Amino acid sequence: MTEDAQQGDEAAEAWSTSELRSLSPVFGRRRVVDNTCRLYTDLAWLWPMWGDAADEYAHYCRHVAGLIEQHAEHPAGTLLDIGCGGGKNVFNLKGKFSVTGVDLSPTMLAQARDLNPESTFVHGDMRTFRLGRTFDAVLMDDALSYMSCLADFVAAFRTASAHLNPGGVLVATPDVTTETFRQNKTIATPTTRTGTRGDIDVVFVENVYDPDPADEQYETTILYLIRDHGHLRIETDHWTMGLFSLDTWRRVLHETGFEVHEGRYNVGEDEYTVFACVKTR
């Protein structure tokens, strides 16, 4: 190594420590990033582009309907979709059930109503809402991931139990558990919307990261690469999510009044645990 190269390496090392510490107040310690949830507010117009309701959601919904039929003690005619989002699961389930959807985002509920005008949608927080009626089946999909502490997680399942008839079935699918979590997993999903005003190309880049494996949370960060008539616009999103073990799922479901049946659901190379839970009390 030449003397100039060695001096250059030493300078770079100095810059990467003391200089960066002086320039950045967060260097060397974890930076707290605020949750934004823009996909459910000002960027909700992107949601219909991220997975086709009639295609990508149909297979899972057939699986859900089959589990309900298999485990229900009585024929199921009504279903409550807790955390229904933009109504893509409702779109596929409404042919078999009379579906009511509940979600925390008014913007997503508006999309769900447009997609499913024959169904009923209600604004509510899955931890606390009470509709004053019960259903033959309840679905809780990936919206459960937003229960970022154990108390909220338990509260959501109490809500499900409170709205389910005895002998009815709750289908709950963990998006991820401590056993299946993959640190720094990143997925890029490209899509195009064709319209009279021209095409819009979007790439959804989703990254998950657990900065502290000792707690019950992980972080999801989304990059939206939006090209409108070729002009690039970059937006970001950040969410804090709950991360629980399969044993915690089993225990909480049992403690909130369910007989738990556990199975698997495969999508390509990914495998998910699906809980079909019969209300016993």
Side-chain angles (χ1 to χ4, degrees):
M1 179 182 292
T2 66
E3 182 177 354
D4 288 344
Q6 184 175 358
Q7 290 176 348
D9 287 345
E10 291 173 352
E13 183 177 356
W15 178 260
S16 65
T17 53
S18 60
E19 292 296 327
L20 282 177
R21 288 186 188 279
S22 67
L23 289 173
S24 173
V26 298
F27 182 84
R29 64 180 186 271
R30 180 182 170 190
R31 179 180 177 227
V32 177
V33 181
D34 292 335
N35 289 325
T36 52
C37 298
R38 296 182 63 198
L39 185 61
Y40 311 124
T41 53
D42 63 304
L43 294 178
W45 62 275
L46 293 171
W47 176 245
M49 301 176 65
W50 200 352
D52 181 68
D55 182 19
E56 295 183 36
Y57 285 71
H59 188 268
Y60 172 71
C61 289
R62 287 195 296 271
H63 186 73
V64 168
L67 290 173
I68 294 169
E69 184 176 1
Q70 177 183 351
H71 294 286
E73 296 180 1
H74 311 284
T78 59
L79 181 143
L80 176 64
D81 185 0
I82 299 178
C84 66
K88 294 179 182 179
N89 283 331
V90 176
F91 180 82
N92 290 282
L93 292 167
K94 64 188 178 184
K96 191 170 183 64
F97 307 97
S98 174
V99 183
T100 297
V102 177
D103 201 86
L104 187 59
S105 166
T107 307
M108 298 301 281
L109 285 172
Q111 290 191 16
R113 292 187 183 101
D114 289 342
L115 186 61
N116 308 283
E118 60 276 81
S119 299
T120 300
F121 294 95
V122 181
H123 179 260
D125 185 323
M126 70 169 65
R127 297 166 294 186
T128 57
F129 80 83
R130 295 296 184 270
L131 300 182
R133 60 165 296 195
T134 55
F135 299 80
D136 300 322
V138 173
L139 173 62
M140 302 181 82
D141 195 13
D142 54 3
L144 274 166
S145 298
Y146 293 95
M147 302 298 99
S148 58
C149 68
L150 185 60
D152 289 349
F153 188 66
V154 172
F157 283 121
R158 286 178 177 159
T159 296
S161 181
H163 291 86
L164 191 60
N165 292 324
V169 177
L170 160 69
V171 177
T173 307
D175 201 35
V176 68
T177 66
T178 54
E179 293 85 355
T180 62
F181 184 83
R182 289 170 50 194
Q183 183 74 304
N184 218 26
K185 179 181 179 181
T186 304
I187 299 174
T189 305
T191 185
T192 299
R193 186 181 72 183
T194 302
T196 56
R197 298 183 179 180
D199 294 347
I200 295 179
D201 298 301
V202 180
V203 179
F204 299 91
V205 182
E206 180 180 8
N207 172 266
V208 296
Y209 192 84
D210 185 357
D212 184 1
D215 66 14
E216 301 168 336
Q217 299 175 340
Y218 70 99
E219 299 175 350
T220 294
T221 304
I222 311 288
L223 294 179
Y224 307 99
L225 308 181
I226 305 166
R227 286 182 171 86
D228 188 353
H229 295 84
H231 298 289
L232 177 62
R233 165 187 168 194
I234 301 174
E235 303 290 354
T236 64
D237 230 339
H238 183 83
W239 310 319
T240 301
M241 323 289 274
L243 184 61
F244 305 99
S245 68
L246 284 171
D247 280 344
T248 299
W249 279 78
R250 297 174 186 124
R251 175 177 58 81
V252 170
L253 285 165
H254 178 74
E255 291 176 353
T256 48
F258 294 103
E259 174 187 288
V260 179
H261 303 271
E262 190 172 330
R264 299 289 181 269
Y265 175 72
N266 294 290
V267 181
E269 298 179 354
D270 295 322
E271 182 178 75
Y272 297 88
T273 298
V274 181
F275 294 99
C277 313
V278 181
K279 182 175 178 178
T280 58
R281 63 178 187 269

